[in-house]
Amino acid sequence: MAYPDDLLSPSEHVVIHKHPHWKMLLLPVFLLLVVVAACAFLASLVSGQSWGGIAQIAIVVIGVVLVMWLTLTPVIRWRTTHFIVTSDRVMAREGVLKRTGLDIPLSRINSVRFEHSLLDRVLGCGTLIIESASDEPLEFDDIPNVERVHSLLYREVNDNPDDDYRPGAVADGRA
């Protein structure tokens, strides 16, 4: 899902648009399986009882509420969380009912670094840390391909057409 172009300035374009890494969906999917298995087990236990019909309805209702709370909510949160790098700024957006956003102009970014654990390296994600004019660095967790995003963001921050280093430019006469 591309970021809406009508929210960008006329000369601005999206360089990269990411959702958090899919690893944040592992626990909700596991919980979905546990809830479904537990509900099926409990429903089979009460099926032979005289009050089993009402108990099965209660189990299904509780199961649906748990699935919505433990699985559907994190999936929607994942889907509505965006990390966007444009030609002018870095943006982070999240939320459905309560929408929050953060914009950092590229000109205010002092440094960009990333961290990832062994598991993050295996899964191909990590934490992007942006130091700007604010007091403390901003951390964006679970960024997919964090090294590539780091490199792209670094190039965007330091992209100045007046001082671009182009190794073949002098030999080609483009200097």
Side-chain angles (χ1 to χ4, degrees), residues 26-169:
L26 291 177
L27 181 61
V29 168
F30 175 74
L31 292 174
L32 169 70
L33 298 174
V34 168
V35 167
V36 169
C39 287
F41 176 72
L42 291 174
S44 69
L45 282 180
V46 300
S47 66
Q49 306 297 327
S50 61
W51 44 270
I54 294 173
Q56 285 179 336
I57 292 172
I59 289 169
V60 168
V61 168
I62 291 170
V64 167
V65 169
L66 285 174
V67 164
M68 289 177 61
W69 179 45
L70 298 174
T71 303
L72 193 57
T73 302
V75 168
I76 291 171
R77 185 177 303 123
W78 171 80
R79 188 69 182 130
T80 60
T81 301
H82 304 270
F83 179 79
I84 304 133
V85 177
T86 71
S87 55
D88 295 341
R89 57 190 163 154
V90 173
M91 299 184 289
R93 302 284 188 265
E94 66 180 46
V96 178
L97 301 176
K98 178 186 172 194
R99 192 96 171 125
T100 59
L102 172 72
D103 290 9
I104 307 168
L106 293 180
S107 61
R108 301 284 177 135
I109 294 176
N110 295 334
S111 69
V112 180
R113 63 187 173 103
F114 67 91
E115 296 176 352
H116 48 182
S117 65
L118 180 60
L119 179 63
D120 287 342
R121 291 178 70 185
V122 169
L123 295 175
C125 65
T127 301
L128 188 69
I129 302 159
I130 299 175
E131 293 182 18
S132 64
S134 66
D135 291 336
E136 49 189 70
L138 300 167
E139 293 187 10
F140 300 97
D141 295 325
D142 296 329
I143 301 293
N145 301 316
V146 71
E147 290 185 52
R148 182 175 174 268
V149 172
H150 169 265
S151 177
L152 271 167
L153 184 55
Y154 182 80
R155 282 196 303 260
E156 285 297 317
V157 167
N158 293 310
D159 190 21
N160 183 348
D162 297 332
D163 66 359
D164 272 353
Y165 173 69
R166 296 179 305 220

